[in-house]
Amino acid sequence: MRDRPATNKRVTIRDVAKSAGVSYQTVSRALNDKGEIDGTTKQRVLDAARELGYRPSRFARGLVRQDSTSIGLVIPDLMNPFFTEVASAALVAARRRDWHVVVYDTADDPAQEQRTLAVIGSQVDAIVGYLSLPDDVIDRHTTGLPVVHIGRSTSGAHTTAIHVDGEEGIHAAVAHFARTGRHRIGMLDHEDRHGPSLRRTWFQNAMTNHDLKGTVVAAGQSIDGGQRAMVTILDTQPKLDALLTYNDVIAIGAMRTARHLGRRIPEDLAVIGFDGLHIGTMVEPPLSSVWIDTQKLGTTAIDQVEHLLAGEDPEPVTIRASLLLRGSA
């Protein structure tokens, strides 16, 4: 007799997959008589489902009976236009395949992320997105599910990753500042519960390469966060003549405050953001940025899902950022 989960916990399709030693997709095919698996495996799945007392939820039954594949797209903050652009590209790529996508916003909150995974783990065919929880917690909620991680490494089964490498872009930004005579350079970094960002490390390494020292101030990931942090960094370094920011929305807020304080951009202060979002073209002067191809990022994420669903083991993909010069620098 197989171990039955605690009686106060609903048995999920993940439990059946684990008990039968197969993937989530194999369980779906067996339970829905898809005819794509051998008879022995199908019987093993059916026996496991019966012994565990598995009863799919109404929502889950609706999903597994669709012809379309269902993808869970996990985003930390849909108010941030970067993630909105990535999600939009992923939705377009999924639509071309006639896939169904459900988007979840975790509000960059680990507790909400765990609740999200607990809900969607038994309701989708694959998960893609930004997951920050420890590997063992993610594995517990996604057993047998293909998972495409964006922005983190992974070594688990049925998983792959997409990395965003902004190092060359940030080095190019600092080199541009130095080449144009800017030597009092600062950075507005992201306030993060995990500590200084990798982008800050890239910035500090680039500054060292040019024998420069810079001031770094933490900022919230918003226009308001950029405005407040700009006041702080100018108090610390009044003669600041160049600024790199963690993302474009911080840069837009910083530019707003700088102009309010009488700084001309780019004459008195050159500003370079990070992300290269379309919103950067809507400010004056247009925002220079370390550009990430969000279209490629979202499309590649869905491509990787397709490889995993096909039973392949795709290598992680790296998308490199590059310097995009507009009017602000």
Side-chain angles (χ1 to χ4, degrees):
M1 176 69 71
R2 293 176 173 86
D3 293 334
R4 182 186 294 268
T7 56
N8 63 343
K9 179 177 180 291
R10 182 177 66 84
V11 177
T12 70
I13 201 167
R14 291 181 290 105
D15 298 320
V16 178
K18 183 177 181 180
S19 179
V22 298
S23 70
Y24 167 87
Q25 291 75 25
T26 298
V27 174
S28 293
R29 295 185 187 107
L31 296 179
N32 291 278
D33 199 23
K34 293 293 186 179
E36 300 168 356
I37 58 175
D38 66 78
T40 301
T41 301
K42 179 179 178 181
Q43 190 59 52
R44 188 165 78 250
V45 170
L46 295 176
D47 289 344
R50 183 178 62 257
E51 292 181 20
L52 292 174
Y54 172 67
R55 294 292 184 273
S57 68
R58 182 175 63 178
F59 179 56
R61 286 197 301 269
L63 287 179
V64 297
R65 288 178 180 173
Q66 291 177 356
D67 292 332
S68 175
T69 297
S70 183
I71 306 298
L73 177 59
V74 181
I75 298 295
D77 182 11
L78 282 173
M79 292 296 291
N80 185 324
F82 173 79
F83 297 117
T84 305
E85 287 193 9
V86 173
S88 176
L91 288 168
V92 170
R95 197 175 299 126
R96 294 195 190 106
R97 296 166 167 85
D98 292 325
W99 289 0
H100 173 72
V101 177
V102 184
V103 181
Y104 298 86
D105 184 342
T106 64
D108 201 23
D109 175 19
Q112 180 59 42
E113 182 181 322
Q114 185 159 344
R115 287 192 292 270
T116 296
L117 290 179
V119 169
I120 69 174
S122 60
Q123 298 176 344
V124 297
D125 296 300
I127 294 174
V128 58
Y130 296 82
L131 302 176
S132 63
L133 294 170
D135 288 339
D136 62 324
V137 178
I138 295 174
D139 291 344
R140 187 164 66 246
H141 291 294
T142 62
T143 302
L145 273 180
V147 180
V148 177
H149 293 276
I150 302 178
R152 69 180 281 169
S153 298
T154 179
S155 58
H158 312 296
T159 66
T160 190
I162 302 173
H163 304 288
V164 175
D165 187 349
E167 185 169 17
E168 291 180 8
I170 287 180
H171 277 254
V174 172
H176 175 75
F177 286 150
R179 188 169 55 250
T180 54
R182 316 276 182 162
H183 301 293
R184 294 181 291 274
I185 305 169
M187 179 184 182
L188 300 185
D189 190 26
H190 168 39
E191 293 175 342
D192 194 298
R193 63 182 179 273
H194 302 299
S197 71
L198 184 57
R199 296 176 192 181
R200 175 175 179 169
T201 300
W202 292 333
F203 169 74
Q204 291 172 327
N205 290 343
M207 293 289 284
T208 299
N209 288 347
H210 289 275
D211 293 322
L212 296 169
K213 294 183 179 180
T215 301
V216 180
V217 168
Q221 286 200 69
S222 65
I223 291 176
D224 287 344
Q227 289 179 287
R228 291 191 296 269
M230 192 64 194
V231 172
T232 301
I233 199 168
L234 286 176
D235 285 343
T236 303
Q237 192 172 356
K239 295 183 178 180
L240 187 78
D241 61 10
L243 180 70
L244 177 73
T245 64
Y246 179 87
N247 65 22
D248 284 354
V249 293
I250 292 174
I252 291 170
M255 289 170 61
R256 180 179 294 178
T257 292
R259 285 194 299 268
H260 178 72
L261 296 175
R263 302 295 181 97
R264 297 172 300 162
I265 299 173
E267 293 85 357
D268 302 325
L269 177 69
V271 179
I272 297 179
F274 192 109
D275 287 340
L277 302 177
H278 179 66
I279 193 175
T281 65
M282 300 179 186
V283 298
E284 187 58 40
L287 178 64
S288 297
S289 189
V290 177
W291 174 65
I292 301 170
D293 189 341
T294 54
Q295 178 73 33
K296 182 177 181 181
L297 182 54
T299 300
T300 301
I302 298 301
D303 290 344
Q304 293 288 79
V305 170
E306 186 170 45
H307 289 309
L308 289 173
L309 289 174
E312 301 171 11
D313 186 21
E315 291 293 325
V317 174
T318 297
I319 294 178
R320 302 188 186 282
S322 58
L323 181 60
L324 173 63
L325 291 175
R326 297 182 178 129
S328 68

